[in-house]
Amino acid sequence: MRVRPGIEVLLDRRRDLIRGARVGAVVHPASVLPDLQHTADALSSAGDFQLTALLGPQHGARGEKQDNMVESEFYRDPDTGLPVHSLYGETRQPTEEMLKDIDVLLFDLQDAGTRVYTFIYTMAYCMQACARWNKRMIVLDRPNPVNGRQVEGNLLHSEYSSFVGLYPIPMRHGMTTAELALFFNSEFGIRCDLTVVAMEGWRREYWFDQTGLTWVQPSPNLPTLDSAIVYPGSVLVEGTCLSEGRGTTRPFEMVGAPFINSRSFASHLNGLGLSGVRFRPAYFQPTFQKWAGAMCGGVQIHVRDREVFEPYLTGIAILSAACALHPEFFGWRNPPYEYEREKLPIEILCGCSEIPEMIRSGALISQIKQSWQNDIADFLRRRSSYLLYD
């Protein structure tokens, strides 16, 4: 049986939630129905409510911004003619002006299941704005593409709160957007007038390719489910001088730099015995971003068994290996990064300073993993009452 996402359920059976209302929608390229019709197009052709505006997150409502940290501007949607307000720039929360012709704000973004993916904080900011300006908000649920069962990593420390980590959740949270909306609204005192429309047919153990839905990249550098599977760990590479494979056809699966010896790097990583993964020596030349135009030595991450693979631990192991093998060249990236201008990018990605310090000090990977076990136990207890699916 195919999973039915929230937008399909809304249009088929819950139109009473928006009938007669002026509706705004937060959308991006993966905001599609199972037949691949875009949510904005489906909403604009309906006759029992009025779609008045679109709001676009990072990379834009139609995915027009191809690189990372490229801001969007106001424009008119070429297909519907509707105003499109940007939620990625110096203004990341909807303003009163953006919401003036909206009674109900729909949120229909495909998340990546990772704490540092900005879409869930765009959702939180929309909830805050709706609470402030007395608007209703409806979150249309979609699958967590890397399943809702596996949880990994330390909780974010409040002093490292940023647009890539607003609340204390683990790197891999194992929740859907609607579950997170309920969690954020209650646990962190947003208190907006919130309704969630759950999926039908989704189970916590499902990976995206088990849903019967078509993968549409939620952002330009997550082109495949494979890239989404490794992303919760290799995203840490963004906080270093290494390339995370942006500017290649395998972003987040390729990691390296000109100073890395591919064979020794792969051998070191394979020698750690990490679960469900092998590292292949690889060379690549990014066309943009870090080391653009330079030949990089490094590895490609090959996930052999995704059920036991630990992406966050793997990402930490990659940074630890680069630090140990090339201490004279390896270093942290300097700010600014995602609107944080003081703290190191690696610290806001990890959500703390302790993990980067352990990497620098040469701590064993097993010790680093052990450091977050109490965090995981606490989070699993707190999230339990907000879960919508078996």
Side-chain angles (χ1 to χ4, degrees):
M1 175 177 141
R2 175 181 60 76
V3 170
R4 303 185 79 214
I7 179 61
E8 183 182 15
V9 176
L10 175 80
L11 292 175
D12 281 357
R13 298 197 297 102
R14 298 301 312 278
R15 295 171 81 104
D16 58 292
L17 292 172
I18 53 175
R19 188 167 290 120
R22 298 174 302 168
V23 174
V26 185
V27 292
H28 67 165
S31 304
V32 295
L33 280 91
D35 65 359
L36 298 182
Q37 182 183 25
H38 195 270
T39 291
D41 301 327
L43 293 174
S44 66
S45 63
D48 49 354
F49 55 87
Q50 181 185 6
L51 183 65
T52 59
L54 304 177
L55 297 90
Q58 185 176 16
H59 305 296
R62 298 282 187 176
E64 63 274 8
K65 303 298 184 182
Q66 290 296 300
D67 204 356
N68 196 35
M69 289 178 274
V70 177
E71 296 182 347
S72 300
E73 305 81 26
F74 174 87
Y75 67 98
R76 290 272 171 182
D77 180 56
D79 292 334
T80 64
L82 291 169
V84 181
H85 302 290
S86 172
L87 298 180
Y88 189 73
E90 287 304 317
T91 300
R92 295 181 294 284
Q93 183 178 110
T95 64
E96 183 179 21
E97 179 68 17
M98 292 177 188
L99 298 177
K100 70 176 184 178
D101 296 322
I102 293 172
D103 302 313
V104 183
L105 184 62
L106 300 181
F107 181 91
D108 185 32
L109 300 187
Q110 175 62 59
D111 184 39
T114 307
R115 181 183 66 220
V116 300
Y117 211 54
T118 62
F119 296 157
I120 57 175
Y121 308 117
T122 294
M123 178 178 72
Y125 286 156
C126 288
M127 292 165 63
Q128 292 171 6
C130 286
R132 181 177 183 184
W133 304 115
N134 297 311
K135 307 292 183 178
R136 290 193 291 131
M137 181 157 169
I138 300 175
V139 174
L140 306 174
D141 212 6
R142 288 186 175 273
N144 183 322
V146 293
N147 81 56
R149 180 177 55 82
Q150 293 167 306
V151 176
E152 184 190 6
N154 57 288
L155 296 181
L156 176 135
H157 296 184
S158 59
E159 62 268 33
Y160 293 95
S161 177
S162 74
F163 194 48
V164 290
L166 199 58
Y167 298 122
I169 60 176
M171 179 61 88
R172 195 169 171 196
H173 49 72
M175 298 177 76
T176 67
T177 49
E179 291 174 335
L180 283 168
L182 294 170
F183 184 69
F184 292 168
N185 204 39
S186 177
E187 294 289 319
F188 305 111
I190 299 176
R191 299 186 181 91
C192 84
D193 183 354
L194 174 68
T195 301
V196 302
V197 178
M199 295 174 281
E200 293 179 355
W202 190 75
R203 298 181 62 86
R204 304 211 74 81
E205 67 269 21
Y206 281 1
W207 300 79
F208 194 90
D209 57 9
Q210 295 170 314
T211 65
L213 299 172
T214 301
W215 177 267
V216 177
Q217 57 194 59
S219 56
N221 284 287
L222 287 186
T224 66
L225 179 58
D226 287 342
S227 53
I229 289 171
V230 300
Y231 178 78
S234 52
V235 66
L236 296 181
V237 179
E238 288 191 0
T240 74
C241 65
L242 306 180
S243 167
E244 64 275 11
R246 290 183 185 273
T248 77
T249 57
R250 286 291 183 177
F252 297 106
E253 296 176 58
M254 306 288 282
V255 176
F259 56 81
I260 286 183
N261 180 292
S262 293
R263 290 185 180 275
S264 61
F265 196 49
S267 178
H268 179 100
L269 287 167
N270 287 324
L272 296 175
L274 296 167
S275 299
V277 64
R278 290 288 292 177
F279 301 90
R280 180 181 63 82
Y283 292 90
F284 59 94
Q285 184 172 306
T287 58
F288 58 85
Q289 283 271 0
K290 287 180 282 185
W291 302 113
M295 180 66 75
C296 294
V299 294
Q300 183 173 356
I301 305 166
H302 292 272
V303 178
R304 297 287 190 86
D305 185 349
R306 64 188 183 182
E307 297 295 342
V308 298
F309 174 58
E310 297 173 284
Y312 187 48
L313 191 68
T314 299
I316 289 170
I318 289 171
L319 303 195
S320 296
C323 185
L325 295 174
H326 302 284
E328 70 279 26
F329 297 117
F330 179 77
W332 305 131
R333 178 178 177 176
N334 291 319
Y337 175 80
E338 290 289 3
Y339 303 102
E340 168 58 49
R341 294 175 173 83
E342 295 181 5
K343 295 181 176 65
L344 289 174
I346 191 62
E347 293 177 337
I348 63 171
L349 285 166
C350 289
C352 66
S353 61
E354 288 80 1
I355 299 295
E357 288 168 0
M358 294 176 81
I359 292 171
R360 274 296 195 189
S361 68
L364 296 176
I365 300 302
S366 58
Q367 292 176 318
I368 297 177
K369 179 179 177 178
Q370 185 59 38
S371 71
W372 61 64
Q373 296 311 307
N374 289 338
D375 279 359
I376 293 296
D378 177 63
F379 176 72
L380 290 175
R381 285 191 297 269
R382 291 186 68 188
R383 79 167 192 165
S384 61
S385 60
Y386 303 99
L387 302 184
L388 299 171
Y389 311 93
D390 293 333

